[in-house]
Amino acid sequence: MKTIAVIGAGTMGNGIAHTFAQNGFKVNLIDVSDAALKKGIATVTKNLDRQVAKEVLTEAQKNDTLLNIALLTDLKEGVSTADLVVEAASEKLAIKLDIFEKLDNFCKPNTILASNTSSISITQIAAATQRAEQVIGMHFMNPVPVMKLVEIISGYSTSKETLATVTKLAEQLGKTPVPVNDYPGFVANRILMPMLNEAIETLYNGVAGVQEIDTVMKLGMAHPMGPLQLADFIGLDVCLSILEVMYDGFKNPKYAPCPLLVNMVRAGKLGIKSGEGFYDYSESKKAETVSAQFQ
């Protein structure tokens, strides 16, 4: 495989593009708007600069990585020569089905189609194509350039050849591929999301405050980040979408989203991406924090 197309220049998409490009692949990063692409490549550049500062990469390697990434808004143009397409669009079934139906028409017959979905059925996504044996899940973890895990999800019809090819490819990226079966939430989010939801329920029921809940989990369970802070980092809208997929798939009340989470998403309090979630990430709050450090 030489050419990789990544659909979506958001947090996951730009991280996936960064990782492939850093490992010598030609990457077409595709999004619907130039603004999204500019924001995405700016993030890649900032993260590469951080790697250079930490002496993980040289300046020359950073420049080579950026040269490996082409930015496109035309889906057909971006995927027509790709050997692998990784979809990293919104975690909405209708959006993914529309994309994969188009990919089936635009891509070469032997192109493998992968989704970075964190919860949606690969079998259901594959049904939008005429190449279900070449459709697979590649669930990268955030931040992609740093995190080693890639969940590899085979749908009902995914071939052994496709699984072997994608597993080897993940290893070429320096990742640890872990095969899992196609059930809602797979492994990572089937375990993680109920924990985050329970932390939100604990806050909702007035058992303790935000800082207290996160401190208990960090100090008592050795978690590097508290569950409420992690939910902010993931995006509360993403957490809600994943929980809804699992609740719909299993019909088990333990996956029902906490009313507080639902209301926060409705109010636009999505975490870091919106500037406010369980914590305040606004510029004024950052200024207050900086000011306090010098007092």
Side-chain angles (χ1 to χ4, degrees), residues 160-204:
K160 292 181 179 178
E161 292 77 14
T162 297
L163 174 60
T165 298
V166 171
T167 298
K168 182 178 179 181
L169 185 62
E171 290 171 345
Q172 287 179 255
L173 299 176
K175 304 300 185 186
T176 301
V178 178
V180 303
N181 291 323
D182 187 22
Y183 291 96
F186 315 131
V187 172
N189 281 319
R190 183 169 179 171
I191 295 170
L192 174 63
M193 286 301 154
M195 184 193 76
L196 301 188
N197 197 45
E198 192 62 31
I200 299 169
E201 285 278 2
T202 302
L203 177 67
Y204 179 59

Side-chain angles (χ1 to χ4, degrees), residues 49-171:
D49 286 336
R50 186 178 292 115
Q51 289 177 298
V52 172
K54 292 182 177 180
E55 299 184 348
V56 175
L57 292 181
T58 65
E59 190 70 27
Q61 288 172 318
K62 167 198 160 182
N63 293 332
D64 287 344
T65 299
L66 290 171
L67 287 172
N68 281 337
I69 302 175
L71 307 179
L72 301 100
T73 55
D74 187 292
L75 180 63
K76 185 175 183 179
E77 180 185 359
V79 304
S80 61
T81 61
D83 302 303
L84 169 73
V85 179
V86 182
E87 170 272 318
S90 301
E91 193 70 354
K92 299 292 182 182
L93 177 61
I95 292 174
K96 294 186 186 296
L97 293 179
D98 179 63
I99 289 172
F100 274 79
E101 184 177 355
K102 290 174 180 174
L103 292 178
D104 196 34
N105 293 320
F106 295 160
C107 293
K108 298 180 297 183
N110 62 337
T111 300
I112 292 175
L113 309 181
S115 176
N116 182 59
T117 179
S118 55
S119 60
I120 296 173
S121 167
I122 299 301
T123 302
Q124 194 170 8
I125 291 172
T129 76
Q130 300 300 312
R131 59 176 89 192
E133 71 283 355
Q134 293 162 234
V135 179
I136 197 165
M138 290 186 79
H139 180 207
F140 291 85
M141 304 293 125
N142 184 31
V144 180
V146 176
M147 300 293 280
K148 293 294 185 183
L149 174 66
V150 182
E151 282 187 305
I152 308 292
I153 308 102
S154 292
Y156 186 84
S157 300
T158 303
S159 69
K160 292 181 179 178
E161 292 77 14
T162 297
L163 174 60
T165 298
V166 171
T167 298
K168 182 178 179 181
L169 185 62
E171 290 171 345

Side-chain angles (χ1 to χ4, degrees), residues 16 34 46 61 70 106 190 194 198 204 206 252 255 261 282 289:
I16 294 167
D34 287 321
K46 180 178 69 176
Q61 288 172 318
F106 295 160
R190 183 169 179 171
E198 192 62 31
Y204 179 59
N252 189 322
Y255 299 115
L261 174 62
S282 63
T289 302

